[in-house]
């Protein structure tokens, strides 16, 4: 319904109350409705799931249509990110938020900073989703509120052309609310626990859940050692649990992202159940590191597999875990991905140890032989040393091509001495085009950085502390922060406005009319930033 149609409808409603609602402004209610477009997290999940489905179809048609996100650990961070995107690019299309379990553990747990091992309160994940969307919805309310004030100013000036133009902008307003891909870790327990948490996350607004194939109580960060995977049937039960949660809540377009950690996980806690040769359990077990035994030499407590008429004993570690054969990680990843897609997953996530397009593509090519439209969410992780990795990739490519590399020490390529060199320049260009190249060659639909705002917060705080507590004193803040905010048009330089002060003033006027005691008067110091 259009802006004016809504006003007309509300005026009819107000008139039907026989004068008892005459103090209510139909236009004010219309504005409040527009400022609160999403009434629940399920509204958000339904809206954003449709966005992701359209984006996935667009990527299938042309891999240049890949999408991106940054991990955000607080609602304000997510809000400022989306405000910046709208300011610089005029649209939020193709830009999402990522909610990282690592950052929830490190920054949002009541236990204090924790490693990424599923030890944080699982309820903190849906709480952060709700917080992110609260801040994104407030960004809408703030921006629309400023547009409404401009409409009022145009009316007061008698500028009907300006008023009509502004009303058109309101009618076509693009929300800051975008999809969130939310990390549910390994499900925080069994399939029922996964379902219960998934439901809470969806109710908070998540349209996409990312779940990994590690053992819940042994879960490790994707870039740490000691990862333990589970048999496919155990993992698929959790994938189905996520789908059931989406369907129960009416989010039929909900996205399930299945992550495989098999490339770096050499251990399993369980021997998979197998009912016949070649089934999924048998395939999982086929990667185990085994030794052939004679029944006469079997030991008490041995687990024994019968394969092709031979009795095999999987090697058991002192930790009571079983190990996979070295060099099987890529094959296990491919099997994980194909199996997930064949059982309801929508997107894949292959956790790698380095950002190497051909390594990723070598697995995706094999997956696409079975599922042609398979596509990835990929972690452009800060756990990678991007500079060193890409300089080494260029160095190795030059060696293979017979190019002289005598001016470079491969082990010391991180050195600032190489920043302006031909090798350093070529490596930087590969980093710059990594997402575009990965989308085209390796099936990467969505590129994300898991922990960027963790690092930017630390870096900016370090820079400010160095200046403010040093010789620069107050100039350290003014020159390095406030002056840059003003000149770059950073929204929160007017922090009172950013926190909702003007929205509150508008509401006071709606409620009390001329008697409203408003904060945004002539003596509000925020007016110093009007120019």
């Amino acid at each position: 319904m259009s802006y004016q149609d809504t006003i007309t409808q509300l005026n009819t409603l107000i008139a039907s109350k026989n004068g008892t609602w005459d103090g209510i402004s139909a236009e004010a209610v219309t504005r409040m409705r527009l400022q609160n477009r999403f009434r629940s997290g399920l509204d958000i999940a339904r809206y954003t799931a449709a966005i992701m489905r359209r984006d996935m179809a667009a990527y299938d048609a042309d891999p240049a249509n890949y999408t991106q996100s940054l991990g955000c650990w607080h609602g304000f961070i997510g809000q400022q990110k989306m405000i910046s995107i709208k300011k610089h690019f005029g649209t939020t299309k193709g830009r999402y938020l990522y909610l990282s379990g690592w950052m929830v553990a490190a920054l949002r747990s009541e236990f204090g900073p924790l490693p990424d091992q599923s030890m944080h309160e699982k309820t903190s994940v849906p709480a952060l989703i709700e917080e992110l969307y609260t801040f994104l919805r407030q960004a809408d309310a703030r921006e629309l509120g400023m547009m409404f004030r401009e409409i009022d100013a145009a009316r007061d000036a008698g500028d009907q052309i300006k008023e009509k133009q502004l009303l058109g902008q309101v009618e076509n307003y693009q929300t800051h609310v975008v999809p969130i891909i939310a990390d549910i870790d390994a499900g925080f327990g069994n399939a029922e626990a996964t379902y219960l948490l998934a439901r809470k996350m969806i109710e908070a607004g998540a349209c996409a859940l990312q779940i990994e194939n590690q053992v819940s109580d042994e879960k490790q960060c994707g870039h740490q050692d000691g990862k333990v995977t589970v048999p496919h049937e155990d993992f698929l039960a959790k994938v189905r649990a996520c789908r059931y949660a989406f369907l129960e809540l009416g989010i039929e377009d909900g996205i399930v992202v299945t992550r495989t950690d098999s490339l770096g996980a050499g251990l399993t806690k369980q021997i998979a159940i197998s009912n016949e040769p070649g089934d999924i359990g048998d395939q999982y077990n086929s990667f185990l590191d085994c030794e052939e035994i004679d029944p006469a030499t079997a030991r008490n407590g041995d687990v024994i597999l019968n394969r092709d008429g031979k009795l095999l004993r999987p090697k058991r570690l002192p930790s009571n875990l079983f190990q996979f054969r070295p060099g099987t990680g890529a094959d296990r990843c491919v099997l994980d991905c194909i199996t997930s897609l064949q059982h309801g997953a929508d997107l894949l996530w292959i956790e790698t140890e380095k950002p190497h397009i051909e390594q990723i593509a070598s697995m995706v090519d094999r997956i696409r032989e079975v599922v042609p439209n398979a596509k990835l969410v990929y972690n452009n992780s800060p756990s990678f040393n991007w500079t060193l990795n890409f300089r080494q990739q260029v160095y190795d490519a030059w060696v293979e091509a017979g190019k002289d590399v005598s001016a470079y020490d491969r082990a010391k390529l991180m050195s600032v001495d190489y920043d302006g060199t031909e090798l350093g320049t070529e490596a930087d260009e590969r980093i710059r085009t990594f997402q575009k190249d990965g989308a085209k060659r390796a099936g990467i639909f969505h590129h994300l950085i898991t922990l960027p705002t963790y690092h930017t917060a630390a870096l900016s705080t370090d820079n400010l502390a160095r200046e403010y507590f040093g010789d620069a004193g107050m100039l350290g803040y003014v020159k390095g922060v406030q002056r840059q905010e003003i000149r770059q048009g950073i929204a929160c330089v007017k922090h009172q406005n950013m926190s909702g002060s003007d929205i509150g003033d508008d509401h006071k006027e709606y409620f009390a009319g001329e008697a409203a005691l408003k904060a945004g008067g002539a003596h509000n110091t925020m007016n110093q930033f009007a120019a």
Side-chain angles (χ1 to χ4, degrees):
M1 190 179 295
S2 73
Y3 186 82
Q4 192 57 53
D5 287 344
T6 304
I7 293 174
T8 300
Q9 182 197 60
L10 286 166
N11 272 325
T12 300
L13 174 64
I14 291 167
S16 73
K17 300 303 178 181
N18 301 316
T20 61
W21 284 17
D22 285 357
I24 302 295
S25 162
E27 185 165 24
V29 175
T30 298
R31 291 178 174 186
M32 293 173 77
R33 283 187 178 182
L34 285 170
Q35 288 173 302
N36 187 28
R37 170 180 172 182
F38 301 98
R39 310 294 168 80
S40 71
L42 291 179
D43 286 346
I44 292 171
R46 193 172 294 111
Y47 169 77
T48 54
I51 290 174
M52 279 196 72
R53 291 290 177 180
R54 290 194 296 269
D55 287 349
M56 290 162 66
Y59 174 81
D60 287 339
D62 182 355
N65 296 316
Y66 63 90
T67 57
Q68 300 166 290
S69 67
L70 297 174
C72 298
W73 53 273
H74 191 279
F76 177 74
I77 299 294
Q79 178 198 67
Q80 294 304 301
K81 172 191 148 182
M82 296 316 302
I83 288 174
S84 296
I85 287 171
K86 284 193 72 175
K87 180 183 76 172
H88 292 298
F89 304 103
T91 178
T92 61
K93 182 174 174 55
R95 276 78 176 207
Y96 306 164
L97 296 183
Y98 178 65
L99 187 156
S100 161
W102 192 103
M103 287 207 284
V104 173
L107 298 170
R108 302 302 300 265
S109 172
E110 293 185 11
F111 294 108
L114 294 172
D116 183 20
Q117 296 172 359
S118 289
M119 295 189 292
H120 55 280
E121 310 88 339
K122 62 184 179 181
T123 53
S124 60
V125 182
L128 179 52
I129 296 169
E130 183 176 3
E131 176 183 294
L132 284 162
Y133 280 128
T134 296
F135 274 79
L136 294 184
R137 290 160 68 190
Q138 193 259 8
D140 283 357
R142 168 189 167 273
E143 189 171 52
L144 283 164
M146 292 191 294
M147 294 167 72
F148 297 149
R149 288 181 173 214
E150 288 186 68
I151 290 171
D152 292 341
R155 284 177 182 167
D156 291 343
D159 190 341
Q160 294 182 348
I161 295 175
K162 180 69 171 176
E163 179 187 353
K164 185 176 181 180
Q165 179 189 34
L166 288 165
L167 285 170
Q169 292 177 11
V170 169
E171 296 280 9
N172 297 292
Y173 181 76
Q174 186 181 52
T175 177
H176 293 84
V177 171
V178 296
I180 287 178
I181 299 176
D183 186 359
I184 198 171
D185 276 30
F188 286 88
N190 60 15
E192 175 69 7
T194 301
Y195 153 75
L196 292 171
L197 178 56
R199 196 172 65 179
K200 284 291 186 184
M201 292 169 71
I202 297 162
E203 288 172 341
C207 71
L209 304 178
Q210 168 234 321
I211 186 166
E212 59 204 60
N213 68 334
Q214 293 192 51
V215 177
S216 290
D217 58 354
E218 302 283 355
K219 184 255 189 291
Q220 294 276 19
C221 170
H223 294 284
Q224 291 182 320
D225 203 357
K227 292 189 289 183
V228 183
T229 63
V230 297
H232 294 92
E233 288 295 350
D234 295 48
F235 182 60
L236 295 175
K238 294 184 178 183
V239 173
R240 286 190 289 270
C242 292
R243 181 65 65 202
Y244 270 106
F246 275 123
L247 293 174
E248 176 187 350
L249 296 171
I251 313 299
E252 296 181 5
D253 284 341
I255 312 293
V256 179
V257 183
T258 52
R259 175 176 130 181
T260 172
D261 281 278
S262 290
L263 200 62
L267 304 170
T268 184
K269 199 170 189 177
Q270 298 167 258
I271 304 295
I273 294 174
S274 174
N275 296 311
E276 59 183 50
D279 65 14
I280 194 64
D282 189 45
Q283 292 180 67
Y284 186 81
N285 294 339
S286 71
F287 295 112
L288 291 168
D289 190 6
C290 299
E291 55 190 356
E292 188 174 352
I293 65 167
D294 186 299
T297 62
R299 301 190 296 260
N300 186 51
D302 274 348
V303 173
I304 298 175
L305 301 178
N306 185 347
R307 182 174 299 136
D308 300 326
K310 297 179 180 179
L311 295 180
L312 304 176
R313 175 169 54 210
K315 295 179 182 177
R316 198 198 305 255
L317 303 177
S319 60
N320 206 31
L321 300 171
F322 299 95
Q323 66 185 25
F324 293 109
R325 295 193 311 279
T328 63
D331 291 339
R332 287 183 281 123
C333 277
V334 170
L335 180 61
D336 293 342
C337 291
I338 292 171
T339 302
S340 291
L341 291 173
Q342 290 175 334
H343 291 82
D346 301 291
L347 294 169
L348 304 170
W349 174 319
I350 300 176
E351 195 72 280
T352 67
E353 82 287 359
K354 59 182 179 291
H356 194 293
I357 289 173
E358 285 306 316
Q359 179 199 33
I360 304 162
S362 66
M363 291 181 279
V364 172
D365 288 345
R366 294 169 61 190
I367 297 164
R368 284 183 162 179
E369 289 175 5
V370 181
V371 185
N373 69 338
K375 45 193 167 288
L376 302 186
V377 171
Y378 186 71
N379 178 8
N380 293 224
S381 176
S383 294
F384 304 143
N385 185 332
W386 285 76
T387 300
L388 181 61
N389 266 290
F390 276 84
R391 287 181 180 181
Q392 288 181 341
Q393 288 179 37
V394 172
Y395 181 97
D396 294 342
W398 284 9
V399 169
E400 186 175 350
K403 191 169 182 176
D404 180 19
V405 294
S406 60
Y408 303 97
D409 183 342
R410 190 181 187 280
K412 298 179 180 179
L413 288 176
M414 186 63 204
S415 172
V416 68
D417 296 339
Y418 297 126
D419 282 4
T421 64
E422 182 185 359
L423 184 146
T425 301
E426 182 174 332
D428 282 354
E429 179 62 12
R430 290 194 184 195
I431 294 171
R432 187 185 73 82
T433 64
F434 175 81
Q435 296 188 341
K436 179 183 71 173
D437 296 341
K440 183 177 181 179
R441 172 68 186 94
I444 302 175
F445 157 71
H446 185 75
H447 282 276
L448 61 89
I449 308 178
T450 44
L451 319 176
T453 53
Y454 175 90
H455 292 278
T456 54
L459 179 62
S460 61
T461 302
D462 179 87
N463 290 338
L464 175 60
R466 182 187 66 236
E467 295 295 315
Y468 176 72
F469 293 104
D471 292 340
M474 192 57 199
L475 184 61
Y477 172 77
V478 172
K479 186 177 180 181
V481 180
Q482 189 180 78
R483 194 176 295 170
Q484 298 306 314
E485 288 179 305
I486 295 169
R487 291 176 177 174
Q488 294 180 40
I490 305 301
C492 69
V493 70
K494 297 182 180 181
H495 51 258
Q496 307 286 13
N497 166 269
M498 195 74 254
S499 69
S501 178
D502 287 344
I503 296 172
D505 274 0
D506 291 340
H507 290 173
K508 290 174 185 177
E509 189 168 357
Y510 297 163
F511 305 156
E514 293 182 357
L517 182 63
K518 297 191 288 186
H523 297 293
N524 189 318
T525 58
M526 191 171 68
N527 295 325
Q528 297 173 21
F529 299 96

